[in-house]
Amino acid sequence: TNSPKSIIVIFGATGDLANRKLYPSIYRLYRNGKLSENFAVVGVARRPLTNEDFRNNVKKSISHFEDKSIDPDAFASHFHYHPFDVQDLSYYQSLNKLLNTLDEKHETEGNRIFYLAMAPNFFGTLATNLKSEGLTSTNGWTRLVIEKPFGHNFKSAKELNDQIREAFTEDQIYRIDHYLGKEMVQNIEVIRFANAMFEPLWNNQHISNIQITSSEVLGVEDRGRYYESSGALRDMVQNHMLQMMALLAMEPPIKLTPEEIRSEKVKVLRALKPITEEDVEKYFVRGQYDRGILNGEEINGYREGNSVDPESNTETFVSGKLLIENFRWAGVPFYIRTGKRMKKKSTEIVIQFKDLPMNLYYDKEENIHPNLLVIHIQPYEGITLHLNAKKGEYGSTSTPITLNYNNNGSNDKMNTPEAYEVLLNDCMRGDSTNFTHWDEVALSWKFVDIISNAWENTKAEQFPNYESGSNGPKESEALLENDGFNWWSVT
Ligand code: BG6
């Protein structure tokens, strides 16, 4: 087969991401014939594990698949472990030896992916040392996959980027935004550009506003230390939310190449109206969860969590209004909203069309029902179109109806590829379309920095300001009401 051959080196091999996402994704690629037999995975971390320990961990991480057609031991035999100290050059040299041996054994033609799934403070050092110790000079290709957070603000992101760019060229760098690997996020462009009915209406003449919500039920769990210095703005808005916005707002690319698509996304980010620090309050709302009841269970407030300051100023909820200043979008607000400990886990995009000039079927008791196109990203995957039709009665009034497409309907959940599976496969094939280019990262940070500065400089006296299990603080509702809109709750 022509499945890509390579060694995947995973730094942070004992971590949560590796166990929860990467090993299961590699397994699914293997099972679906997307990996040739010529692959090896080298797990790298501080802990002194044997190959056998490591393989047992890997087998545990895939045990829920219960797939009889694949022998877990045969799969695990592709995995090797190498203990590691990021600061100590001798470990790089011994790792390189191991990679050379495995390269011969598995015939991977010198192709290597270095996947950084570990604490970000070492990203730069690692990249530098990989190059200086010769791990990036092979007969094949070498690529760097880098997890978030990519910096803490524009300045630190740039420092990090400069450092990794000394060792890797831009086209060798794959910055992960796992939202870009989600089926329905990838579907945004297809829905827009493969249908004659949407694109002609996709502008400020016909769309009144767009809403992007990503709500979570989980709190910050045991990530308090990271989250305290991040908050929802850096954790979700800088990356996932702005990426979804860019896909919704971009012009059609002239071709489906990574360069063309990226260049259209970059233009959207460049057209984003910058907010001044004084205006942040007008455009953005921050929230922090209080105690509350979720799924019948009593939940602690954010400030009562592990490694969290009891006076914490960190936001666990953000909503905001974004304006894109170009011909297509001038005057159309893009509202975004994301938070932890909200009522339900759901990511959804609502495109609200403008009202008709006149409604013949309006009756006094009834509201006008604008047309909505809803793109359900997760957990339910699908598309719903909200229309009006005749009420099944005498008289002539209209009633809202929906047309539904369910993307997990025919496929059982097992067959919809997971984001990480898709992205790993893309990286192995050398397709960087669904990864973020430095230009996008830079522009997103510049936008977000103004808001985070404003928030860091003023204590949020009102925190905590939303109950666990709610839809966030009431100011978030007001943000839309002031413009004559409301958040659609559509699932
Ligand atoms: C991550 C954030 O990037 O995305 C997490 O760091 C968040 O805080 C997660 O929980 C949400 O991802 P998903 O795929 O569950 O929506």
Side-chain angles (χ1 to χ4, degrees), residues 44-111:
V44 169
R46 291 182 80 107
R47 246 173 267 174
L49 299 184
T50 62
N51 277 343
E52 203 192 335
D53 299 333
F54 180 50
R55 287 172 188 168
N56 286 335
N57 289 350
V58 171
K59 280 189 275 182
K60 213 183 285 160
S61 77
I62 57 156
S63 56
H64 58 286
F65 285 114
E66 291 170 350
D67 191 323
K68 297 282 175 299
S69 66
I70 283 170
D71 172 11
D73 288 307
F75 174 69
S77 71
H78 290 265
F79 287 68
H80 307 265
Y81 188 78
H82 189 71
F84 200 71
D85 178 342
V86 183
Q87 318 265 27
D88 185 341
L89 294 183
S90 66
Y91 283 94
Y92 291 81
Q93 291 147 11
S94 49
L95 175 62
N96 202 14
K97 267 195 210 121
L98 174 65
L99 296 182
N100 287 333
T101 317
L102 293 176
D103 187 36
E104 256 176 52
K105 180 169 164 211
H106 295 278
E107 296 173 28
T108 48
E109 301 176 349
N111 299 333

Side-chain angles (χ1 to χ4, degrees), residues 25 74 139 188 253 256 275 296 317 354 388 390 424 428 438:
S25 295
N139 301 327
I188 294 172
L256 285 184
I275 307 178
F317 173 97
K354 287 194 170 163
N388 295 297
K390 185 178 181 300
L424 261 173
M428 281 192 277
W438 166 245

Side-chain angles (χ1 to χ4, degrees), residues 265-411:
K265 283 165 71 191
V266 165
K267 275 191 228 157
V268 173
L269 293 165
R270 281 172 50 205
L272 206 49
K273 181 183 173 184
I275 307 178
T276 59
E277 237 181 278
E278 300 75 64
D279 274 350
V280 165
E281 247 183 306
K282 268 194 245 159
Y283 289 93
F284 275 81
V285 173
R286 56 176 157 168
Q288 188 189 69
Y289 64 82
D290 201 347
R291 303 181 151 207
I293 300 198
L294 242 173
N295 300 332
E297 223 186 291
E298 269 187 57
I299 302 286
N300 277 342
Y302 175 70
R303 292 180 175 185
E304 298 163 301
N306 276 340
S307 321
V308 172
D309 177 355
E311 303 266 302
S312 176
N313 203 38
T314 302
E315 81 284 354
T316 60
F317 173 97
V318 175
S319 64
K321 169 176 168 178
L322 309 168
L323 296 173
I324 299 168
E325 297 190 301
N326 63 17
F327 261 59
R328 188 190 282 259
W329 293 117
V332 181
F334 282 66
Y335 299 105
I336 56 167
R337 171 171 66 159
T338 182
K340 302 255 182 221
R341 288 293 190 220
M342 292 173 66
K343 202 184 272 171
K344 59 177 189 236
K345 169 82 180 164
S346 151
T347 303
E348 223 162 54
I349 295 165
V350 180
I351 292 104
Q352 179 177 346
F353 292 88
K354 287 194 170 163
D355 292 335
L356 290 167
M358 161 186 172
N359 187 348
L360 285 171
Y361 306 98
Y362 184 73
D363 99 35
K364 281 193 194 69
E365 291 105 66
E366 275 202 64
N367 296 318
I368 294 179
H369 298 280
N371 292 139
L372 306 176
L373 171 66
V374 184
I375 305 176
H376 309 271
I377 308 286
Q378 63 180 21
Y380 175 72
E381 298 179 9
I383 304 165
T384 307
L385 193 54
H386 292 244
L387 306 171
N388 295 297
K390 185 178 181 300
K391 215 170 189 168
E393 280 175 11
Y394 303 108
S396 51
T397 50
S398 68
T399 189
I401 58 151
T402 57
L403 301 184
N404 284 307
Y405 161 67
N406 176 352
N407 196 55
N408 2 60
S410 50
N411 284 357

Side-chain angles (χ1 to χ4, degrees), residues 105-374:
K105 180 169 164 211
H106 295 278
E107 296 173 28
T108 48
E109 301 176 349
N111 299 333
R112 294 179 181 174
I113 292 175
F114 300 101
Y115 196 123
L116 313 191
M118 47 176 292
N121 29 338
F122 295 116
F123 286 170
T125 317
L126 245 164
T128 309
N129 294 345
L130 286 174
K131 179 170 188 189
S132 75
E133 300 318 299
L135 283 83
T136 56
S137 327
T138 70
N139 301 327
W141 47 255
T142 53
R143 296 182 183 138
L144 183 76
V145 180
I146 186 159
E147 270 293 333
K148 58 173 289 216
F150 198 89
H152 178 73
N153 49 28
F154 173 68
K155 184 166 171 286
S156 57
K158 176 150 188 352
E159 279 163 15
L160 170 59
N161 197 56
D162 289 346
Q163 202 175 1
I164 61 175
R165 286 290 301 272
E166 276 175 30
F168 293 86
T169 57
E170 179 67 31
D171 63 355
Q172 288 180 294
I173 302 171
Y174 290 71
R175 296 178 195 79
I176 292 258
D177 182 318
H178 77 284
Y179 268 57
L180 298 181
K182 293 185 192 281
E183 271 289 289
M184 290 308 292
V185 171
Q186 298 190 350
N187 227 323
I188 294 172
E189 279 173 82
V190 185
I191 294 164
R192 286 190 54 193
F193 303 138
N195 292 298
M197 340 168 26
F198 296 126
E199 199 47 30
L201 305 184
W202 211 261
N203 55 49
N204 49 12
Q205 315 245 346
H206 302 284
I207 290 179
S208 78
N209 72 89
I210 292 185
Q211 307 177 4
I212 311 171
T213 299
S214 193
S215 61
E216 294 187 80
V217 167
L218 286 182
V220 294
E221 315 305 298
D222 48 9
R223 293 160 80 219
R225 195 183 303 272
Y226 151 76
Y227 201 83
E228 270 288 271
S229 67
S230 162
L233 190 66
R234 292 189 176 93
D235 190 50
M236 293 288 292
V237 176
Q238 183 270 335
N239 38 49
H240 312 319
M241 304 302 281
L242 289 182
Q243 282 292 328
M244 287 190 281
M245 179 213 67
L247 292 171
L248 287 161
M250 68 189 255
E251 295 300 314
I254 57 174
K255 269 197 257 99
L256 285 184
T257 61
E259 295 75 22
E260 295 299 344
I261 294 173
R262 169 183 320 136
S263 121
E264 298 306 338
K265 283 165 71 191
V266 165
K267 275 191 228 157
V268 173
L269 293 165
R270 281 172 50 205
L272 206 49
K273 181 183 173 184
I275 307 178
T276 59
E277 237 181 278
E278 300 75 64
D279 274 350
V280 165
E281 247 183 306
K282 268 194 245 159
Y283 289 93
F284 275 81
V285 173
R286 56 176 157 168
Q288 188 189 69
Y289 64 82
D290 201 347
R291 303 181 151 207
I293 300 198
L294 242 173
N295 300 332
E297 223 186 291
E298 269 187 57
I299 302 286
N300 277 342
Y302 175 70
R303 292 180 175 185
E304 298 163 301
N306 276 340
S307 321
V308 172
D309 177 355
E311 303 266 302
S312 176
N313 203 38
T314 302
E315 81 284 354
T316 60
F317 173 97
V318 175
S319 64
K321 169 176 168 178
L322 309 168
L323 296 173
I324 299 168
E325 297 190 301
N326 63 17
F327 261 59
R328 188 190 282 259
W329 293 117
V332 181
F334 282 66
Y335 299 105
I336 56 167
R337 171 171 66 159
T338 182
K340 302 255 182 221
R341 288 293 190 220
M342 292 173 66
K343 202 184 272 171
K344 59 177 189 236
K345 169 82 180 164
S346 151
T347 303
E348 223 162 54
I349 295 165
V350 180
I351 292 104
Q352 179 177 346
F353 292 88
K354 287 194 170 163
D355 292 335
L356 290 167
M358 161 186 172
N359 187 348
L360 285 171
Y361 306 98
Y362 184 73
D363 99 35
K364 281 193 194 69
E365 291 105 66
E366 275 202 64
N367 296 318
I368 294 179
H369 298 280
N371 292 139
L372 306 176
L373 171 66
V374 184

